[in-house]
Amino acid sequence: MEQSKRRRLEKAGWRVGSSADFLELSGVEEVLVDMKLTLGMRLRKTREQHNLTQNDLAKRMGSSQSRVAKMEAGDPGVSLDLLVQGLLAAGATRREIASALTTRKKAASA
Amino acid sequence: MEQSKRRRLEKAGWRVGSSADFLELSGVEEVLVDMKLTLGMRLRKTREQHNLTQNDLAKRMGSSQSRVAKMEAGDPGVSLDLLVQGLLAAGATRREIASALTTRKKAASA
DNA sequence: TGATAATATGTCAATAATGACATATTAGAC
DNA sequence: GTCTAATATGTCATTATTGACATATTATCA
């Protein structure tokens, strides 16, 4: 139990022993990775819908073709920032980006 | 007009001259900044709703209180990655994060 | 077949983001 | 007022991300 939560609850008269809350909290890293994969796939889709090559998009962003390829491939060394920049530069709306964030990635099972 | 688009359109029989498309494309950087501010504010809200101090959250994330403060303050040197990690660690759902992304920030006018 | 365009993969020097720390400021209880 | 917890601000060495480049792979067309 965290300091502040304990403090507040105790002040409110609660007896706070051990607790199993925050159960839903696991897997921050995994969610982040999944988000990046999802956004990468969405980037490819958006780019193709707008008939841009990776090189086209790269120039728009002031980046390079190889980096765009890595974004779309879900390369671990690509930041969310870069993905969002890419999506915006490719013509995706803020709403589309948000929507993609919640859309679970289509697993490419072996 | 980009290479690929031109190629496709020409193949389809279009005469592609100059064009003023992609008008909506401006301001990638501004949108990104706005997103970060919005997520920062959402982070504070979420953290408080879960009765966590900045220190609590920092420990959860393996970060430090000062960095959490910077996240919430919209410090320019904070990545989207870190903000999303923070939000997840604070207990926000993926859906909540996406929702916040589209929610225009409440301007704190002087 | 060869030629061309698009994409993928690996590397690396330059840059940006990070956690940690010190310290300042603020807010609330007493 | 003091004391204490929480938050804010500035700095810095370490780490992560970046664009650029070379090169490989994969189409597609003639």
Side-chain angles (χ1 to χ4, degrees), chain B residues 8-65:
Chain B
R8 281 250 205 154
L9 290 179
E10 284 177 343
K11 180 186 279 195
W14 289 90
R15 303 241 63 233
V16 274
S18 70
S19 72
D21 59 356
F22 304 135
L23 289 181
E24 81 293 347
L25 190 56
S26 53
V28 169
E29 195 61 28
E30 295 164 45
V31 173
L32 197 67
V33 167
D34 189 77
M35 281 184 177
K36 289 189 184 183
L37 288 177
T38 304
L39 291 182
M41 295 192 303
R42 170 67 64 168
L43 176 60
R44 167 157 298 169
K45 214 178 263 184
T46 302
R47 176 179 63 80
E48 289 175 343
Q49 284 172 345
H50 289 259
N51 289 308
L52 302 173
T53 67
Q54 291 183 343
N55 213 12
D56 291 336
L57 178 58
K59 281 176 197 148
R60 280 201 190 190
M61 313 174 49
S63 182
S64 59
Q65 177 267 324

Side-chain angles (χ1 to χ4, degrees), chain B residues 3 7 63 66-67 77 79 82:
Chain B
Q3 315 165 14
R7 218 166 5 88
S63 182
S66 57
R67 191 134 297 270
S79 69
L82 196 66

Side-chain angles (χ1 to χ4, degrees), chain A residues 94 97-98 101, chain B residues 35 38-39 80 96-103:
Chain A
R94 199 163 166 163
I97 295 173
L101 255 197
Chain B
M35 281 184 177
T38 304
L39 291 182
L80 269 186
E96 285 167 344
I97 295 173
S99 167
L101 255 197
T102 55
T103 306

Side-chain angles (χ1 to χ4, degrees), chain A residues 3 7 63 66-67 77 79 82:
Chain A
Q3 315 164 13
R7 222 171 356 91
S63 182
S66 58
R67 190 133 298 272
S79 70
L82 196 66

Side-chain angles (χ1 to χ4, degrees), chain A residues 91-110:
Chain A
T93 66
R94 199 163 166 163
R95 173 170 300 279
E96 285 168 343
I97 295 173
S99 167
L101 255 197
T102 54
T103 305
R104 201 115 210 121
K105 82 179 193 319
K106 266 262 176 51
S109 55

Side-chain angles (χ1 to χ4, degrees), chain A residues 19-30:
Chain A
S19 69
D21 59 355
F22 304 135
L23 289 182
E24 82 292 349
L25 188 57
S26 53
V28 168
E29 194 62 27
E30 296 164 44

